[in-house]
Structure formats: structure tokens, C-alpha cells
């Protein structure tokens, strides 16, 4: 899931922007400045808020859940069953000034599924450990049966 820290930053910016909205609406109501000046300010702040909300709460590229169970990995309404997965890896690469991580699933039929872990609140090491636990558990139940 997306990290709590990212959500807290977004909410703090939203509250900070509201502090600017109130004076702009008061100036617009009083008519002390020409109408385009406060309207431009309101539109600019609205655009900044839209970008902030899109990247922190609404963007489906970053905002999704990954569910791990003994049967499958579930993400973005897709289920990847353990017996269909040939290999899993977490790829970390530098993109600009930041590094980004991806969960990569190599499927037995040759497909490659890549999930962005940019705003996830779990560390790569912990996610890797959980995946290995479920893979071993699935291999054990498959060989026992």
C-alpha cells in the first residue's frame, strides 16, 4: 500500500493551500483587485492541489494493493498463482536522482509482470522475505500432495 508518510505530506500541503484560498476568495468578493488576479491565483492553487492529490492519492500507477497468500499474488485485480510463477525478483534501478524498485514476476508461459513499488510502505528486504516464505510454503504443499 502507499506509505503513510506520503499521505501525511499531501494532507499538510492541502491544509497549507487552504490558508491561501481564504484570502483569495475574500479579495475576489471585495473587488479590491481586478477579477483576473484572484481568479488566476485560485486556478493556480487548484492546479497544484490537483497534481498533489493525483500523485499521492488517486494515480492508479502507484496506488494499488499487493496481496500475498499461500495460493497467489494478487495485484490490480490480477491473480498470479504460485504454480504459474517461474521466478520472482525485486529490481532496483536509479531513475534520475532517485532509485525506484519494481516487483518482477517471470511467468512460466514467458510473460513478465512488473509492479512499481515506488510509494509502498514495505521495504524491499521484507517484501522479498514474505514472497520467499509463501513460495517455500507452496513448494512444500505441492511436493507433499
Amino acid at each position: 500500500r502507499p506509505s503513510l508518510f506520503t499521505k501525511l505530506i499531501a494532507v499538510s500541503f492541502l491544509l497549507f493551500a487552504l490558508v491561501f484560498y481564504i484570502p483569495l476568495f475574500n479579495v475576489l468578493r471585495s473587488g479590491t483587485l481586478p477579477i483576473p488576479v484572484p481568479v488566476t491565483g485560485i486556478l493556480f492553487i487548484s492546479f497544484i492541489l490537483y497534481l498533489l492529490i493525483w500523485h499521492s492519492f488517486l494515480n492508479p500507477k502507484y496506488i494499488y494493493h499487493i496481496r500475498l497468500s499461500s495460493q497467489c499474488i494478487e495485484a490490480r485485480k490480477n491473480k498470479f498463482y504460485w504454480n504459474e510463477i517461474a521466478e520472482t525478483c525485486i529490481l532496483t534501478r536509479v531513475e534520475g536522482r532517485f532509485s525506484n524498485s519494481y516487483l518482477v514476476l517471470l511467468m512460466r508461459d514467458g510473460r513478465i509482470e512488473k509492479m512499481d513499488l515506488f510509494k509502498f510502505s514495505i521495504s524491499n528486504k521484507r517484501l522479498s522475505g514474505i514472497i520467499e516464505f509463501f513460495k517455500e510454503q507452496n513448494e512444500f504443499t505441492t511436493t507433499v500432495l
Side-chain angles (χ1 to χ4, degrees):
R1 270 187 296 226
S3 71
L4 182 62
F5 181 70
T6 304
K7 289 181 179 181
L8 288 174
I9 289 174
V11 168
S12 65
F13 273 109
L14 288 172
L15 294 174
F16 186 69
L18 288 176
V19 171
F20 286 106
Y21 263 131
I22 295 168
L24 285 173
F25 279 117
N26 287 338
V27 168
L28 184 63
R29 229 175 5 135
S30 69
T32 56
L33 289 175
I35 290 178
V37 174
V39 169
T40 304
I42 291 169
L43 290 176
F44 178 72
I45 292 174
S46 298
F47 178 71
I48 297 297
L49 288 177
Y50 167 76
L51 288 177
L52 184 67
I53 290 171
W54 176 254
H55 286 290
S56 59
F57 292 110
L58 301 176
N59 192 342
K61 178 181 176 186
Y62 301 123
I63 310 302
Y64 60 93
H65 296 272
I66 294 177
R67 288 184 179 85
L68 300 170
S69 68
S70 58
Q71 291 85 25
C72 65
I73 296 176
E74 186 177 351
R76 293 190 181 123
K77 299 180 183 177
N78 295 324
K79 289 186 178 181
F80 306 104
Y81 292 96
W82 291 111
N83 58 357
E84 297 174 352
I85 299 173
E87 191 63 47
T88 61
C89 61
I90 296 179
L91 170 71
T92 302
R93 67 179 190 184
V94 177
E95 297 176 345
R97 292 187 288 171
F98 303 102
S99 64
N100 196 5
S101 298
Y102 300 92
L103 173 62
V104 180
L105 304 176
L106 305 169
M107 308 304 283
R108 293 194 192 277
D109 61 0
R111 290 181 299 142
I112 298 175
E113 299 290 334
K114 185 172 95 169
M115 292 170 249
D116 197 346
L117 300 175
F118 178 60
K119 294 193 178 215
F120 274 72
S121 58
I122 190 169
S123 70
N124 293 344
K125 187 174 182 177
R126 184 164 183 220
L127 179 62
S128 176
I130 294 169
I131 289 172
E132 289 302 316
F133 171 77
F134 282 122
K135 276 174 48 177
E136 288 174 9
Q137 185 179 14
N138 186 50
E139 289 173 3
F140 178 73
T141 57
T142 307
T143 55
V144 170
L145 299 175

